[in-house]
Amino acid sequence: MENEVAARNKKIKHAIMIIVLTLLFIAFVFPFIMVIMNVFKVKADITANPLALIGKHGFTLENFPNAIKKMNFFKVFGNSLFVTILSTIGTIILSSMTAYLIVRNNWKANKILFVLMIASMVIPFQVLMVP
């Protein structure tokens, strides 16, 4: 009898959890779906009826070239790529040099540095980041 009640309570809790998680999923995905729906409409159709799948003027791709021109996409993308490549190369070089120093030398400072590096990996960056 107690097992049946416990099983029923577990099923109810599971069903409530599924419903809550489904509602949260919809709340988080809805803005992304809105962007996908509105990217293929002209501005007048977006402001008139943002929830419509297709606007009065039909399906359009003119928003993409306009966005690329307005934000100077290729220059910005090139700058981001340049910074990413340089910082990755710098990180690899400095990390390799630091690892070599820690492994090859048996200094007390190296042990402290190693423990601090491991501790910094345990704490997520978002906790340390200033909002």
Side-chain angles (χ1 to χ4, degrees):
M1 182 74 173
E2 291 178 17
N3 289 338
E4 292 175 10
V5 173
R8 186 180 313 130
N9 287 341
K10 187 175 180 180
K11 286 181 182 180
I12 291 172
K13 288 179 184 179
H14 184 70
I16 291 172
M17 184 179 69
I18 293 294
I19 291 169
V20 168
L21 289 176
T22 303
L23 291 174
L24 284 172
F25 173 75
I26 291 170
F28 279 105
V29 171
F30 183 72
F32 179 71
I33 292 170
M34 288 294 298
V35 168
I36 298 298
M37 285 173 39
N38 289 323
V39 75
F40 300 110
K41 292 189 259 184
V42 294
K43 192 180 284 187
D45 291 336
I46 294 171
T47 55
N49 192 359
L51 295 175
L53 195 56
I54 298 175
K56 290 181 183 178
H57 297 94
F59 184 81
T60 183
L61 293 174
E62 67 187 43
N63 292 333
F64 292 101
N66 291 341
I68 289 172
K69 286 178 192 173
K70 284 184 181 179
M71 69 179 282
N72 201 5
F73 176 78
F74 294 109
K75 182 179 180 184
V76 172
F77 181 74
N79 290 341
S80 296
L81 190 65
F82 177 72
V83 169
T84 301
I85 289 171
L86 283 183
S87 63
T88 302
I89 290 171
T91 301
I92 290 171
I93 290 171
L94 289 175
S95 298
S96 300
M97 290 168 41
T98 305
Y100 183 83
L101 180 73
I102 289 174
V103 170
R104 294 293 178 177
N105 296 318
N106 195 14
W107 300 334
K108 191 172 186 177
N110 285 348
K111 293 177 184 177
I112 294 171
L113 181 64
F114 181 70
V115 168
L116 288 174
M117 292 171 98
I118 296 297
S120 71
M121 287 190 268
V122 170
I123 302 170
F125 174 72
Q126 288 80 5
V127 173
L128 302 174
M129 178 177 63
V130 176

